[in-house]
Amino acid sequence: MIVLEPEGRVLRHHGWGLIPAWAKDPNVAHKLVNARSETVAEKPSFKRSFESKRCLVPADGFYEWKGQDPMRIVRPDRAPFAMAGLWETWEGRRTFTIVTTGPNELMKTIHGRMPVILRPDDEAAWLDPAASPRRSRPCWRPTRARSRPTRSPPRELDEGRRRGPHRACSGPADALLTPGPYAPGGRTVTLLQCRRMNGPLGLVLPGGGALCSWQGGALETLSKSLRFDKIVGVSAGALNGGAYFTGRLPEEMRHWRDADSIRALRLRPRLFPASVFSSDPAWELVSYAADDERARRDAICDLTVLSLRDHDRRTVYSRFTPKGARGWDGPLADRLVASCAIPLVYPRVRVGPHYYRDGGTAGVDGAHFLDLAGCETVVAIRPVRPDERGRRHWGRSRGASSRSERPT
């Protein structure tokens, strides 16, 4: 967002969702991502900011939902524009909200509200803390549709299009809606990404079977803009997490893109333990982790790999940290392959005195995400088939409260 300081206009990073200076709970920010222009001067949450802490929120488009269809609103010439915003400081943390007004002729067909989009001539008056904000009321009227952003097909959202709202993450306003492409199997899949999120940043990578290549592509795209501090990987997601953990994600993605020639499924039936396919492709994929000393040196974040201990069916959390400073429950390669050893499909993996198998298999205890404690933002990349859209993929887990039983 853009604020006016003594040296002039300055672009700053603020979290989206205003936290009033008097607030006791920062979670109030989720309810204050927008401020209605009709009541902004009277509402206690916005009154102070309205008087002296106004800002510009630059963007080249914004998203709204028409029923279940996401719509991207842009200018006819695709030029950037400025939305009216308010900012505040809470315990050293800066946050902002976007001021909204009634819809114009175009937006009436999509939604009942729209951002206040400032004309260039009105920006200086809106930013000036010495100017009376009430003099800006004329610029709060909805912009005319012919000079306003127009609809464009929502192809810049991910391929789902009906997977649920895509909330823009806290980050620079000019980066909230930056598309990042990836094309597995010849299909173009684009993701919304941010150049920065509030940190520390956590990542959950659940299993996805044959869709783990899509998950890897999504992670590859996000990793160009985000740096994750803690990762929890389960089943096939552990393979992608291990590749990111050691800085080998590009190498792994070359492997996935050549899936046909590497024969990912190699028939090798066994009676004991019962399995149908060979786990050789998985071992080949994690060959970079065969040398634990090298993996320790290459590690760039904390990694937790989930697997199931075979004899008592309890979830085991194998933790790996850069240089092993805070733990190294290796061998890393063995833990990664064990996490995706699907029962009856791939053979189980022996580590020490015990055998381990797929971490996504139901055990006697529920999995938890306590290793992500301390992360301010957590991203989950869950690949699903078209027929799975809308299904609940996480139930209550041990250690999760009723308010956080579903990762978002």
Side-chain angles (χ1 to χ4, degrees), residues 268-280:
R268 187 181 295 172
R270 295 183 181 182
L271 291 179
F272 185 82
S275 60
V276 178
F277 295 101
S278 168
S279 58
D280 288 350

Side-chain angles (χ1 to χ4, degrees), residues 183-252:
R187 295 183 303 156
T188 298
V189 178
T190 60
L191 301 170
L192 291 179
Q193 43 176 315
C194 305
R195 295 196 186 106
R196 182 177 175 185
M197 283 181 172
N198 291 337
L201 188 59
L203 175 66
V204 177
L205 295 172
L211 296 177
C212 58
S213 61
W214 183 94
Q215 183 188 68
L219 178 57
E220 184 182 41
T221 298
L222 290 175
S223 65
K224 295 176 182 177
S225 301
L226 304 176
R227 180 183 177 87
F228 296 100
D229 300 285
K230 297 182 178 182
I231 297 177
V232 173
V234 186
S235 191
L239 300 179
N240 291 323
Y244 179 91
F245 170 70
T246 55
R248 297 295 196 283
L249 192 58
E251 178 182 323
E252 185 198 50

Side-chain angles (χ1 to χ4, degrees), residues 246-266:
T246 55
R248 297 295 196 283
L249 192 58
E251 178 182 323
E252 185 198 50
M253 291 316 302
R254 287 194 295 270
H255 186 97
W256 284 130
R257 293 183 182 110
D258 197 26
D260 291 336
S261 64
I262 64 173
R263 294 174 54 229
L265 294 178
R266 302 177 191 175

Side-chain angles (χ1 to χ4, degrees), residues 98-138:
I98 296 174
V99 182
T100 66
T101 185
N104 61 17
E105 293 84 356
L106 172 66
M107 285 300 296
K108 283 180 181 178
T109 65
I110 301 174
H111 196 267
R113 303 290 293 179
M114 64 176 286
V116 170
I117 298 175
L118 300 171
R119 295 174 298 182
D121 294 342
D122 295 323
E123 293 176 4
W126 178 252
L127 279 177
D128 188 357
S132 171
R134 289 167 177 77
R135 294 180 58 186
S136 301
R137 284 187 182 273

